[in-house]
């Protein structure tokens, strides 16, 4: 039986004018939209697509190493500490992605 594995990604959200922008810091994936919820959902889908594409091209291991993305094999933490300069237009949300394949 394989151990559950996951990666930890950071999703950053901010407003530019009337549009919300969302960026996955580690992957460089981004999107924009009219509402924060719309952007959160779209970014999560894009992250999934990005990771699945890396996997289908057999490039995930290389990409993770280049980007410094660590694969964890323990329980996903219930809380995390985030420390950033305050900005009323910036929202940071952790994103944990379970991995289906062991490396």
């Amino acid at each position: 039986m394989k151990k559950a594995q996951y990666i930890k990604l950071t999703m950053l959200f901010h407003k530019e004018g009337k549009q919300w922008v969302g960026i996955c810091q580690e992957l460089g994936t981004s999107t924009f939209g009219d509402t924060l919820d719309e952007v959160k959902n779209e970014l999560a889908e894009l992250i999934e697509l990005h990771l699945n594409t890396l996997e289908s091209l057999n490039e995930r291991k290389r990409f993770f190493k280049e980007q410094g993305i660590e694969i964890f094999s323990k329980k996903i933490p219930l809380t995390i500490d985030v420390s950033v300069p305050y900005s009323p237009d910036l929202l940071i949300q952790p994103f944990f992605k379970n991995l289906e394949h062991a490396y």
Side-chain angles (χ1 to χ4, degrees), residues 23-30 43 50 63 67:
I23 300 167
C24 175
Q25 187 173 343
E26 293 81 3
L27 298 179
T29 305
S30 65
L43 187 56
H50 191 148
F63 184 85
Q67 299 303 315

Side-chain angles (χ1 to χ4, degrees), residues 39-63:
V39 173
K40 282 182 179 181
N41 292 333
E42 177 73 15
L43 187 56
E45 289 178 21
L46 290 172
I47 289 169
E48 185 84 23
L49 180 62
H50 191 148
L51 294 174
N52 286 339
T53 300
L54 287 170
E55 181 65 26
S56 70
L57 297 173
N58 200 28
E59 289 289 323
R60 189 186 282 185
K61 189 174 184 177
R62 178 197 59 79
F63 184 85

